[in-house]
Amino acid sequence: MQLSEIWIYPIKSLGGIRLTQANILERGLENDRRWMLVDEKGVFLTQRQFAQLALFQPSIQHGQVTVVHRPSNEAIIFGINEYLAEQFDVIVWDDTMPANEVNTKVSDWFSKKLDMSVRLVYMPDTTERKVDPQYALNTADITSFSDGYPILIIGQASLDDLNNKLSSPIPINRFRPNFVFTSGQPFEEETWHEFTIGTTTFWGVKPCSRCIMTTVDHEKGEKTGKDPLYTLSKYRKVGNKILFGQNLLIGNTGTVTVGDAIVVQSTRVLPKFKID
């Protein structure tokens, strides 16, 4: 098995960036979900409620982040280490943590494009957001503005299996993985406990439950219907959760590169799925 794709999503719920190599830091891939849009109450924005967020495409080069609003082809640029001194609390699901606004010009630009008052915030290194202690390997496990875990991995065979059941195939970006790999059996990644990519160790801790965000067409910035959730619910449902992909914790920091070999050291039993 080999690592075939690496993705980061610098601003939570906006477009992703495909890489050939990435640094693995304590809270995830470097620059992955270190920024986030929040409303006036500091609550995070996602494509679940605002599908048009998919129409914003970030890129990072020479210490600067550029975000292009694809419909208007207009862009905003800010420094990768740029943020205001004052901190305030922001909310991601059940977690509240301190963050810093990047600057008012950037927030105003997003507000005008979205026609609502928002702020773009940054998670500084001093903010340490803990992962769910029920799944943490140790008390030092932290993440960024991700939904809950530092990294998500999906096998290409898993996507192929799903696409064989859909009337119209969908791309992997619907599921926003960090890692994609080739070879192996469909959904086998959900059984992995300890494994390596190159020389970096990861731990599979929890299959990823999927939501309505997977129904957003990233090219159009709009929801497309019930699939892929409806089809997945037929054979990938445990209780009231639909599972696709595996959440990971980091065993050691390092660097991963497309083409790196994946070696599985230990596995565990898959949950029992409901078959409609």
Side-chain angles (χ1 to χ4, degrees), residues 2-5 7 9 151-160 162 171-183 185-190 192 195 197 208 210 214 232 236 243-248 262:
Q2 286 188 327
L3 184 65
S4 57
E5 298 179 29
W7 291 87
Y9 310 90
I151 297 173
L152 175 68
I153 190 168
I154 297 175
Q156 181 63 45
S158 302
L159 179 67
D160 293 344
L162 169 61
I172 195 69
N173 65 10
R174 291 285 190 97
F175 298 98
R176 299 176 71 80
N178 294 111
F179 297 150
V180 182
F181 67 94
T182 53
S183 299
Q185 297 301 309
F187 312 110
E188 77 162 80
E189 60 271 20
E190 294 171 23
W192 296 354
F195 67 98
I197 301 178
C208 184
R210 311 313 307 219
T214 59
L232 284 171
R236 298 291 301 165
L243 306 181
F244 193 88
Q246 173 84 308
N247 289 303
L248 308 181
I262 298 177

Side-chain angles (χ1 to χ4, degrees), residues 226-246:
K226 295 180 179 180
D227 266 328
L229 284 182
Y230 177 75
T231 298
L232 284 171
S233 71
K234 298 295 183 180
Y235 72 119
R236 298 291 301 165
K237 194 170 185 179
V238 176
N240 63 351
K241 296 184 182 300
I242 298 169
L243 306 181
F244 193 88
Q246 173 84 308

Side-chain angles (χ1 to χ4, degrees), residues 8-11 14-17 53-54 56-60 65-68:
I8 61 171
Y9 310 90
I11 304 175
L14 272 59
I17 301 174
L53 292 177
F56 293 88
Q57 181 58 53
S59 60
I60 299 177
V65 180
T66 300
V67 183
V68 176

